[in-house]
Amino acid sequence: DQQVKQNSPSLSVQEGRISILNCDYTNSMFDYFLWYKKYPAEGPTFLISISSIKDKNEDGRFTVFLNKSAKHLSLHIVPSQPGDSAVYFCAASEKREKLTFGTGTRLTIIP
Amino acid sequence: KAGVTQTPRYLIKTRGQQVTLSCSPISGHRSVSWYQQTPGQGLQFLFEYFSETQRNKGNFPGRFSGRQFSNSRSEMNVSTLELGDSALYLCASSYIPHTGELFFGEGSRLTVL
């Protein structure tokens, strides 16, 4: 039972444009959401998070949007840079306990 | 400050053997979690330890076990290895539980033949 789903395994975006990565969840008890970025041969690194009491959180070029009624969150990267090419995982938790991860989306930024 | 260190980085075992993986968390971090990453399955939670006590456990068979030592270092063990156990095993640490944000190591790549 995949409680966190990333339906796009891959995404290609031109450098300088906006990258939008999507994530859906089914467990209505999830109240804290995170995005992690993973380069090959490295562990995932934390990117940005959002609590369910907010619908948007911004950090530089990265913005996460949360739509609780649709159980959907998205990560926007503007502008996209070649160094953003990586696998992006969304994750969710209830009361910041164990994280449930999606299967990841491989983002490729085309120069 | 040194990051999360996992050893060994790569290992090959045969079916039926057992394996022990080690994780040293970031200095001062007392919570350690383990995840299994396989293609198409993402990262799946194995267990979490804090102050030498298992706080949470994922949906894995009893062949998967772990422990944490007084210095916060952690080990996980997989007994009677199966082909499906081939995966990247990731360890993550945080200062305390309930932070949500985890710091991951580079992982131990296990191949079972």
Side-chain angles (χ1 to χ4, degrees), chain A residues 10-109:
Chain A
S10 62
L11 175 69
S12 294
V13 174
Q14 288 278 350
E15 181 179 356
R17 307 291 274 264
I18 182 172
S19 295
I20 300 177
L21 296 96
N22 294 303
C23 180
D24 298 296
Y25 61 96
T26 57
N27 188 339
S28 58
M29 299 301 290
F30 286 149
D31 56 9
Y32 187 65
F33 305 87
L34 309 90
W35 285 92
Y36 280 82
K37 173 175 159 179
K38 186 178 185 301
Y39 293 119
E42 294 184 13
T45 54
F46 170 74
L47 202 53
I48 192 170
S49 63
I50 187 167
S51 165
S52 60
I53 61 173
K54 302 173 88 173
D55 52 21
K56 176 182 173 182
N57 189 26
E58 212 168 337
D59 184 2
R61 297 186 298 112
F62 302 90
T63 303
V64 56
F65 295 91
L66 176 63
N67 182 333
K68 289 185 289 293
S69 60
K71 295 192 179 68
H72 177 83
L73 66 156
S74 60
L75 174 68
H76 292 210
I77 306 173
V78 183
S80 299
Q81 300 175 352
D84 296 330
S85 294
V87 177
Y88 289 78
F89 291 96
C90 69
S93 72
E94 179 184 347
K95 297 177 186 173
R96 303 197 182 200
E97 289 283 359
K98 60 180 181 177
L99 298 182
T100 300
F101 282 84
T103 52
T105 296
R106 181 178 302 278
L107 175 65
T108 302
I109 305 301

Side-chain angles (χ1 to χ4, degrees), chain B residues 23-73:
Chain B
C23 172
S24 294
I26 291 172
S27 178
H29 284 193
R30 294 160 57 201
S31 179
V32 173
S33 303
W34 289 89
Y35 288 82
Q36 180 196 65
Q37 184 187 4
T38 54
Q41 291 292 318
L43 282 74
Q44 297 193 293
F45 174 76
L46 280 155
F47 23 66
E48 179 193 16
Y49 289 88
F50 177 69
S51 293
E52 302 177 67
T53 301
Q54 188 179 86
R55 293 188 65 251
N56 278 306
K57 190 176 190 311
N59 297 325
F60 279 82
R63 300 185 296 107
F64 292 79
S65 63
R67 59 178 175 167
Q68 186 181 35
F69 302 95
S70 58
N71 61 359
S72 295
R73 191 176 71 84

